[in-house]
């Protein structure tokens, strides 16, 4: 079978790819025992509860399994279930953000001494440590050598190069892959960002963003010894602003950030040090699973591709294996690094100029429906919907109704609204329409109250307060250093703002393969 024939039968070729090799497994995780030892809103350590006084919802596995099986996207090709207000690229930007705030670089011995993370550990922060690692001294493999003195690390980040293969007819010299070890392992601050091609290309965009900022600052006369510090600050401030005013407001509604900055946080509180609330990490922020598409238009060569290939062309879960791959490749995979024909065309994923005939990838609506691929994860991964529901019960999350009452939500989701649709009918059959798992409640609330375009009141309050709190609790953030009125300074379609599309335009590498 030649390379083209192998690609054309890819649906069969890649069925065994591991789509979640370590999904959610980076760093430490909360335990029910540890969480139950905590009370109130003191600084609880790495993990805690936003609503520590609420009782846990206990649901047997058979009921969770029945509900999970009903949470199936009935037709992944139905465009009425698309959400054009949130382009598909944000699904993976959201995953990138998750890996930023959950990366834990403390040593194993320290974790054993203090499993709750009550002292001496880094806290959740939107500080791009998944990009910068421990800096040039602690993570020298992330930083390019200084051209003026190759014995030293310079201010720029290392970018990986691609290989050309026969399929697609792509020629030229491209640097559009993550940097990799001789065995294909991504040399980045968080290896989870190489678990699928779309989050890997998102991470790559941030590497290029930093390098482009270095070039800009250097052209403006910033001293060489200050270039890394100033570039990291500029990149991090713009990223934090994007999270609060681009990503978060797409999820929670326009003006959500300013309301919290003006009125204060009501539910996510801490004295000094932010913690990771399980209501956020185990329920509300798992919203991204409902946004995933079954298929994507990746670039002009792969205009209709599925999960199998997007995971196959990665180093963590797929078949990018460095020098262990045959040279030259004898098939689509294994390969040494990312082939150039798989470089992303960002016009298909974000709000960028594109021909009207070009396919575009909106995210799927925020609702309780997951595409079939997430119901049958390869490698024995099981049903992701069940795993999420089970995780919530295992960690003692309260019901969605209890959280809504605690928040004092007016016009909260009622039992009849939860029971709508095939998934809601199953929830009612299982007696879960009146006491509902928090993750499902938040997705159903988005579907019923906001037509799946954004989160409803409970989900929006949890997500928005946590994001604002994580940035406000970081004394190196723009909120601390510059104040809430700080505005982005880099070029943007609307001056004083900054979106993912603006970042990609600033990098100037939107579609490296050309039309």
């Amino acid at each position: 079978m030649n390379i083209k024939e192998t690609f054309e039968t890819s649906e069969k070729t890649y069925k065994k790819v591991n789509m979640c090799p370590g999904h959610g497994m980076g760093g430490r995780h909360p335990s029910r025992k540890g969480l139950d030892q905590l009370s109130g809103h003191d600084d609880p350590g790495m993990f805690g509860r936003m609503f520590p006084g609420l009782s846990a919802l206990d649901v047997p596995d058979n009921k969770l399994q029945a509900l999970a099986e009903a949470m199936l996207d009935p037709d992944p090709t139905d465009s009425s279930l698309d959400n054009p207000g949130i382009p598909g690229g944000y699904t993976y930007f959201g995953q990138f953000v998750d890996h930023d705030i959950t990366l834990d670089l403390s040593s194993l011995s320290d974790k054993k001494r203090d499993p709750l993370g009550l002292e001496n550990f880094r806290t959740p922060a939107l500080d791009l440590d998944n990009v910068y690692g421990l800096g040039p001294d602690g993570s020298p493999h992330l930083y390019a050598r200084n051209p003026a003195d190759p014995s030293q690390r310079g201010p720029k980040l290392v970018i990986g190069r691609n290989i050309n293969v026969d399929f697609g007819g792509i020629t030229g010299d491209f640097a559009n892959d993550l940097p990799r070890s001789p065995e294909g392992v991504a040399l980045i601050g968080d290896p989870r960002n190489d678990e699928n091609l779309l989050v890997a290309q998102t991470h790559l965009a941030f590497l290029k963003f930093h390098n482009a900022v270095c070039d800009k600052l250097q052209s403006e006369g910033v001293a060489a010894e200050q270039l890394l510090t100033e570039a990291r600050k500029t990149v991090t401030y713009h990223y934090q602003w994007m999270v609060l005013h681009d990503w978060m407001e797409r999820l929670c509604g326009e003006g959500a950030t300013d309301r919290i900055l003006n009125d204060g946080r009501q539910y996510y509180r801490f004295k000094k040090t932010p913690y990771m609330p399980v209501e956020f990490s185990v329920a509300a922020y798992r919203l991204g699973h409902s946004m995933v598409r079954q298929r994507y238009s990746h670039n002009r060569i792969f205009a209709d591709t599925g999960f199998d290939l997007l995971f196959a062309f990665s180093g963590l879960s797929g078949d990018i294996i460095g020098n262990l791959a045959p040279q030259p490749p004898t098939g689509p995979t294994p390969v040494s690094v990312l082939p150039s024909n798989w470089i992303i065309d960002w016009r298909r994923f974000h709000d960028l100029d594109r021909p009207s005939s070009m396919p575009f990838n909106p995210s799927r609506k925020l609702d309780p429906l997951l595409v079939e691929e997430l119901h049958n994860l390869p490698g024995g991964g099981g049903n992701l919907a069940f795993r999420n529901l089970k995780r919530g019960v295992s960690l003692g999350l309260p019901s969605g109704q209890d959280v809504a009452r605690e928040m004092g939500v007016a016009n909260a989701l009622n039992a009849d609204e939860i029971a709508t649709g095939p998934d809601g009918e199953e929830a009612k059959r299982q007696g879960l329409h009146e006491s509902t798992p928090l993750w499902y409640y938040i997705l159903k609330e988005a579907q019923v109250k906001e037509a799946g375009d954004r989160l409803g009141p409970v989900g929006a309050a949890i997500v928005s307060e946590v994001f604002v709190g994580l940035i406000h609790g970081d004394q190196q953030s723009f909120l601390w250093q510059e104040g809430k009125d700080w505005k982005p300074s880099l070029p943007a379609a609307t001056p004083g703002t900054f979106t993912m599309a603006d970042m990609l335009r600033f990098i100037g590498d939107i579609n490296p393969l050309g039309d």
Side-chain angles (χ1 to χ4, degrees), residues 436-508:
T436 308
L438 183 58
W439 176 61
Y440 179 83
Y441 180 98
I442 287 169
L443 294 177
K444 195 69 177 182
E445 180 189 58
Q447 180 188 51
V448 172
K449 299 296 186 181
E450 300 291 345
D453 295 333
R454 63 188 63 83
L455 292 170
V458 170
I462 293 173
V463 168
S464 59
E465 289 209 3
V466 169
F467 274 141
V468 172
L470 292 178
I471 294 176
H472 189 255
D474 175 8
Q475 296 189 18
Q476 301 305 312
S477 71
F478 82 85
L479 287 178
W480 266 87
Q481 297 293 319
E482 303 291 341
K484 66 181 181 181
D485 295 327
W486 178 86
K487 300 296 183 184
S489 59
L490 293 177
T494 302
T497 68
F498 204 70
T499 68
M500 273 295 293
D502 292 321
M503 187 184 96
L504 293 166
R505 280 190 289 263
F506 178 77
I507 296 167

Side-chain angles (χ1 to χ4, degrees), residues 301-333:
I301 299 164
F302 299 101
D304 181 26
T305 190
F307 281 91
D308 47 4
L309 292 172
L310 294 174
F311 278 78
F313 285 96
S314 71
L316 184 60
S317 56
D319 289 319
I320 295 180
I321 59 173
N323 294 341
L324 299 177
Q327 304 288 347
T330 56
T333 63

Side-chain angles (χ1 to χ4, degrees), residues 83 85-86 247-254 256 259 279-280 283-291 364-368 407 409 413 438-467:
N83 185 359
I86 306 181
W247 171 227
M248 194 185 94
E249 295 205 347
R250 289 176 187 268
L251 293 175
C252 304
E254 187 176 353
R259 283 195 297 273
E279 295 90 342
F280 174 87
Y285 203 57
R286 300 207 173 197
L287 56 86
H289 295 152
S290 75
M291 297 169 62
R364 299 295 274 173
K365 283 187 177 292
L366 291 164
D367 59 28
M407 287 183 171
V409 172
L413 197 63
L438 183 58
W439 176 61
Y440 179 83
Y441 180 98
I442 287 169
L443 294 177
K444 195 69 177 182
E445 180 189 58
Q447 180 188 51
V448 172
K449 299 296 186 181
E450 300 291 345
D453 295 333
R454 63 188 63 83
L455 292 170
V458 170
I462 293 173
V463 168
S464 59
E465 289 209 3
V466 169
F467 274 141

Side-chain angles (χ1 to χ4, degrees), residues 126-438:
L126 288 149
D127 58 1
L128 290 177
D129 56 1
N130 60 345
V131 169
Y132 293 106
L134 298 174
D137 293 331
S139 303
H141 57 287
L142 304 181
Y143 294 83
R145 293 186 183 275
N146 189 338
D149 181 3
S151 67
Q152 301 297 318
R153 299 292 170 180
K156 289 190 173 182
L157 296 165
V158 178
I159 305 293
R161 309 199 76 82
N162 304 88
I163 58 168
N164 290 328
V165 295
D166 292 337
F167 188 81
I170 301 299
T171 60
D173 187 19
F174 294 94
N176 288 83
D177 190 18
L178 299 174
R180 299 187 180 279
S181 76
E183 293 190 349
V185 176
L187 301 176
I188 54 179
D190 189 334
R192 293 173 296 170
N193 283 349
D194 191 30
E195 76 172 20
N196 68 69
L197 181 54
L198 298 181
V199 73
Q201 292 280 282
T202 301
H203 189 107
L204 174 66
F206 275 88
L207 302 182
K208 287 176 172 279
F209 182 34
H210 169 86
N211 289 354
V213 170
C214 284
D215 289 338
K216 182 177 187 296
L217 295 178
Q218 187 175 37
S219 72
E220 294 171 350
V222 173
E225 61 271 17
Q226 294 298 318
L227 205 51
L228 174 58
T229 298
E230 290 302 311
R232 179 170 183 173
K233 182 173 73 172
T234 299
V235 167
T236 303
Y237 282 9
H238 282 74
Y239 162 68
Q240 291 171 345
W241 201 95
M242 274 197 297
V243 170
L244 292 187
H245 294 278
D246 182 20
W247 171 227
M248 194 185 94
E249 295 205 347
R250 289 176 187 268
L251 293 175
C252 304
E254 187 176 353
T257 299
D258 288 337
R259 283 195 297 273
I260 296 174
L261 291 176
N262 288 328
D263 301 339
R265 289 173 277 112
Q266 300 181 58
Y267 315 111
Y268 177 49
R269 302 188 299 277
F270 49 85
K271 287 186 175 180
K272 182 180 178 181
T273 306
Y275 64 95
M276 180 53 63
V278 287
E279 295 90 342
F280 174 87
S281 63
V282 180
Y285 203 57
R286 300 207 173 197
L287 56 86
H289 295 152
S290 75
M291 297 169 62
V292 171
R293 301 185 62 81
Q294 186 77 22
R295 303 189 69 81
Y296 288 90
S297 177
H298 187 72
N299 59 26
R300 64 181 172 84
I301 299 164
F302 299 101
D304 181 26
T305 190
F307 281 91
D308 47 4
L309 292 172
L310 294 174
F311 278 78
F313 285 96
S314 71
L316 184 60
S317 56
D319 289 319
I320 295 180
I321 59 173
N323 294 341
L324 299 177
Q327 304 288 347
T330 56
T333 63
V335 288
S336 55
V337 297
L338 183 70
S340 57
N341 58 2
W342 278 103
I343 296 170
I344 197 167
D345 180 351
W346 285 116
R347 299 174 299 174
R348 299 165 191 258
F349 291 88
H350 283 287
D351 293 323
L352 296 158
D353 292 337
R354 60 183 177 275
S356 59
S357 59
M358 177 178 289
F360 183 67
N361 303 297
S363 67
R364 299 295 274 173
K365 283 187 177 292
L366 291 164
D367 59 28
L369 307 176
L370 276 62
V371 295
E372 191 276 336
E373 201 85 28
L374 299 183
H375 281 258
N376 297 282
L377 296 173
N383 186 326
L384 184 58
F386 173 75
R387 286 170 49 178
N388 286 347
L389 292 167
K390 176 65 175 177
R391 183 74 169 154
V393 170
S394 298
L395 290 177
L397 289 184
S399 70
Q401 288 86 350
D402 282 351
V403 172
R405 280 190 290 269
E406 184 76 3
M407 287 183 171
V409 172
N411 192 29
L413 197 63
N414 62 46
D416 289 339
E417 290 172 321
I418 292 173
T420 56
D423 57 288
E425 292 170 1
E426 186 61 46
K428 183 175 182 179
R429 276 192 289 272
Q430 301 302 326
L432 299 177
H433 62 312
E434 295 180 334
S435 292
T436 308
L438 183 58

